């Protein structure tokens, strides 16, 4: 029901907008590419939408350090192209790269496909400029690798989902572009073999391993049915996508080759294919990256983004499949295995409260019993705010409420998001 959408170009304009809204108690919903999975960027009632779409300028790039400073509304894929032309890459990559904004990525602390190698945005973001609820511009846009001068305030805004301030500019450390990238797409006979492949792979590939993703056979069937992407290997219960990135093509190919020989020889892997040329690399990645899209064409999707101990990671998928039986169209498990991050998705013809009742709180209770996280990389937004208690103690939730009250006493920033409705 929003009636107003504002599209500022500068931090000063954001500051004027927030000062105005703060004085008049007007609620504001910051919005980047609007690709989030938990409704964090969608207004609940008639909030004023503050879009970062026109704040899309690169401010500086240093070719020795690889430090990029840009406005919050730069589209991730455009930044990737910009730094790749200069022989660097962005430290994060995700399926929504064509539309998501870097400011939104930082605000949700998005994980994605390069996390295994380059780590979280809490490490790669070096500085932020943030406009606070009352319009104050907080300039923490430094480009220093090391800086121990007091509390590291920028960390508070990484993953705060627009509830504590509006991120207007980002300083981020970009790694050098790897000279050699190889992708192997393999079929595994069981989940135990997927885990064993991961251990072997870490041992044998070491520092060149840059991604370890997995998907189950149902994901592959759906990608085939809805997107017409053909499987490059024989049908198997599980598939893994392994990427290596290094500086010496010959060295990397040799390492990957001996790993594959071992994996095939010992029965961990039953079939596989490899790619070094860009087109085939992209084709193999598409099988994994486009699962979300295939699922959305399958029906209504119940989505869970869990961190779980590796040994138990797939048990919840098997459990939910048995629990729901024919009530679900499909129950799938895929995700960033190397990061202990499972995407459990369930599709059905339409939304049904009874199916939701069979899934929740069951999935959350299961996750809590494993000391897992009910939101690994998608954030909390509107959808998951009442389940934070499964992963955080009451004392932590109370401190979060206190921080919110300190930074946004009038509660104008992204209301009804992230924090539980009655804490
Ligand atoms: O749709 C999902 O649940 C996961 C989306 C994304 O995080 C992915 O890894 O593909
Ligand atoms: Zn993911």
């Amino acid at each position: 029901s929003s009636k107003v959408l504002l599209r500022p170009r500068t931090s000063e304009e954001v500051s004027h907008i927030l000062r105005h809204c703060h004085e008049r108690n007007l609620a504001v919903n910051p919005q980047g590419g609007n690709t989030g999975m938990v409704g964090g960027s969608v207004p609940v009632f008639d909030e004023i939408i503050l879009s970062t779409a026109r704040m899309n300028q690169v401010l500086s790039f240093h070719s020795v350090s690889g430090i990029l400073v840009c406005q919050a509304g730069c589209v991730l894929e455009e930044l990737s192209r910009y730094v790749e032309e200069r022989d660097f890459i962005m430290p994060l990559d995700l399926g929504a790269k064509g539309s998501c904004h870097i400011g939104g990525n930082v605000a949700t602390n998005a994980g994605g496909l390069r996390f295994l190698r380059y780590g979280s945005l809490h490490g790669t973001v070096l500085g932020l400029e943030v406009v606070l609820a009352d319009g104050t511009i907080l300039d923490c846009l430094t480009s220093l690798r090391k800086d121990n001068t007091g509390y590291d305030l920028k960390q508070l805004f990484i993953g705060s989902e627009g509830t504590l301030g509006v991120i207007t500019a980002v300083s981020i450390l970009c790694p050098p572009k790897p000279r050699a990238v190889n992708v192997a797409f393999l079929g595994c006979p069981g989940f135990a073999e997927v885990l064993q492949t991961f251990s072997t792979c870490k041992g044998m590939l070491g520092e060149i391993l840059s991604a370890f993703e997995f998907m189950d056979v149902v994901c592959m069937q759906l990608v085939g049915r809805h997107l017409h992407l053909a499987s490059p290997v024989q049908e198997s219960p599980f598939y893994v996508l392994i990427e290596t990135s290094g500086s010496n093509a010959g060295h990397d190919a040799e390492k990957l080759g001996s790993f594959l020989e071992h994996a095939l020889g010992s029965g961990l892997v039953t079939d596989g294919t490899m790619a070094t040329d860009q087109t085939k690399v992209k084709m193999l990645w598409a099988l994994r990256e486009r699962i979300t899209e295939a699922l959305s064409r399958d029906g209504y999707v119940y989505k869970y983004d869990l961190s779980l101990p590796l040994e138990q990671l797939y048990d919840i998928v098997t459990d939910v499949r048995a629990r729901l039986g024919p009530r679900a169209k499909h129950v799938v498990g895929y995700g960033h295995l190397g990061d202990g991050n499972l995407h459990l998705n369930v599709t059905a013809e339409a939304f049904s409260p009874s199916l939701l009742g069979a899934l929740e709180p069951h999935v959350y209770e299961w996750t809590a019993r494993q000391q897992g996280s009910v939101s690994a990389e998608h954030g909390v937004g509107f959808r998951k705010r009442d389940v934070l208690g499964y992963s955080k103690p009451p004392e932590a939730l109370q401190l979060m409420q206190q921080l919110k009250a300190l930074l946004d006493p009038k509660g104008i920033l992204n209301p009804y998001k992230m924090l539980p409705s009655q804490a």
Side-chain angles (χ1 to χ4, degrees):
S1 310
S2 292
K3 293 201 174 63
V4 181
L5 164 74
L6 299 173
R7 308 205 311 154
R9 274 187 197 281
T10 64
S11 314
E12 287 68 32
E13 286 177 4
V14 175
S15 163
H16 287 151
I17 292 167
L18 288 185
R19 197 176 318 134
H20 178 93
C21 293
H22 192 252
E23 276 163 16
R24 291 164 181 77
N25 299 326
L26 299 172
V28 178
N29 186 139
Q31 189 176 85
N34 209 9
T35 59
M37 299 270 162
V38 288
S41 61
V42 185
V44 179
F45 297 109
D46 58 353
E47 295 89 296
I48 292 166
I49 302 171
L50 178 55
S51 162
T52 48
R54 289 168 93 185
M55 302 181 67
N56 58 359
Q57 300 301 307
V58 168
L59 303 173
S60 66
F61 181 73
H62 288 279
S63 58
V64 176
S65 63
I67 296 167
L68 170 75
V69 182
C70 64
Q71 283 189 296
C74 291
V75 171
L76 180 59
E77 194 166 45
E78 283 164 20
L79 291 177
S80 283
R81 211 171 297 131
Y82 178 93
V83 298
E84 279 182 34
E85 279 162 12
R86 289 155 181 84
D87 260 337
F88 285 82
I89 58 168
M90 292 300 286
L92 79 159
D93 183 29
L94 51 146
K97 59 186 143 237
S99 346
C100 64
H101 295 184
I102 189 72
N105 295 148
V106 174
T108 40
N109 188 24
L113 308 164
R114 292 188 181 149
F115 191 101
L116 178 73
R117 175 69 163 268
Y118 302 111
S120 136
L121 290 169
H122 282 291
T124 50
V125 170
L126 301 178
L128 288 181
E129 179 189 67
V130 180
V131 180
L132 302 179
D134 65 359
T136 305
I137 299 178
L138 181 68
D139 181 359
C140 291
L141 198 59
T142 55
S143 292
L144 305 168
R145 292 296 302 276
K146 302 177 91 175
D147 177 16
N148 275 354
T149 51
Y151 301 132
D152 191 357
L153 295 176
K154 69 169 185 284
Q155 300 295 358
L156 207 52
F157 299 95
I158 302 175
S160 69
E161 303 186 41
T163 62
L164 300 179
V166 178
I167 295 172
T168 46
V170 176
S171 163
I172 189 162
L173 182 63
C174 300
K177 185 173 169 178
R179 290 211 194 104
V181 175
N182 294 296
V183 169
F185 196 92
L186 314 171
C188 289
F191 192 69
E193 286 81 4
V194 171
L195 292 182
Q196 198 53 50
T197 304
F198 180 48
S199 305
T200 312
C201 182
K202 277 195 290 184
M204 293 184 73
L205 299 177
E207 79 293 345
I208 63 168
L209 178 64
S210 56
F212 194 102
E213 297 285 320
F214 94 106
M215 58 200 266
D216 64 19
V217 65
V218 190
C219 293
M220 182 64 92
Q221 288 160 354
L222 293 177
V223 159
R225 183 176 314 164
H226 298 297
L227 308 174
H228 311 291
L229 302 178
S231 170
V233 296
Q234 281 166 21
E235 186 168 289
S236 325
F238 293 94
Y239 302 91
V240 300
L241 184 154
I242 297 169
E243 187 193 71
T244 64
S245 306
S247 55
N248 182 322
H251 163 269
D252 294 6
E254 196 182 312
K255 272 185 142 177
L256 192 58
S258 51
F259 159 73
L260 289 176
E261 201 174 306
H262 174 85
L264 279 160
S266 59
L268 292 179
V269 160
T270 43
D271 189 21
T273 181
M274 254 187 70
T276 40
D277 78 279
Q278 273 260 337
T279 319
K280 190 165 177 205
V281 163
K282 282 205 168 137
M283 191 270 276
L284 294 178
W285 264 116
L287 295 165
R288 163 62 189 87
E289 278 186 275
R290 297 184 64 192
I291 297 170
T292 299
E293 198 184 326
L295 287 163
S296 67
R297 295 188 192 193
D298 199 51
Y300 182 87
V301 195
Y302 301 82
K303 287 189 169 291
Y304 302 95
D305 165 37
L306 312 170
S307 270
L308 289 165
L310 280 177
E311 290 69 23
Q312 278 82 45
L313 192 103
Y314 199 73
D315 291 354
I316 182 71
V317 183
T318 319
D319 171 275
V320 165
R321 211 171 263 152
R323 188 179 169 89
L324 300 183
R327 282 192 287 170
K329 219 173 152 187
H330 294 107
V331 177
V332 303
Y334 61 102
H336 317 286
L337 187 111
D339 310 322
N341 182 184
L342 171 76
H343 295 311
L344 162 68
N345 281 209
V346 176
T347 64
E349 288 303 341
F351 172 76
S352 118
S354 80
L355 197 56
L356 184 67
L359 282 162
E360 300 178 16
H362 178 72
V363 171
Y364 298 125
E365 284 169 354
W366 172 292
T367 306
R369 275 198 300 278
Q370 317 283 344
Q371 275 88 45
S373 171
V374 294
S375 176
E377 60 164 7
H378 293 166
V380 178
F382 182 65
R383 291 199 158 190
K384 310 273 163 163
R385 67 190 196 126
D386 287 321
V387 300
L388 274 201
Y390 288 100
S391 294
K392 288 282 159 23
E395 296 76 15
L397 293 181
Q398 200 190 342
L399 189 54
M400 288 187 202
Q401 297 281 7
Q402 287 168 345
L403 285 167
K404 171 73 176 171
L406 177 73
L407 283 158
D408 181 18
K410 293 186 169 187
I412 65 162
L413 286 177
N414 221 5
Y416 330 107
K417 310 288 170 60
M418 209 176 85
L419 297 167
S421 38
Q422 62 238 21

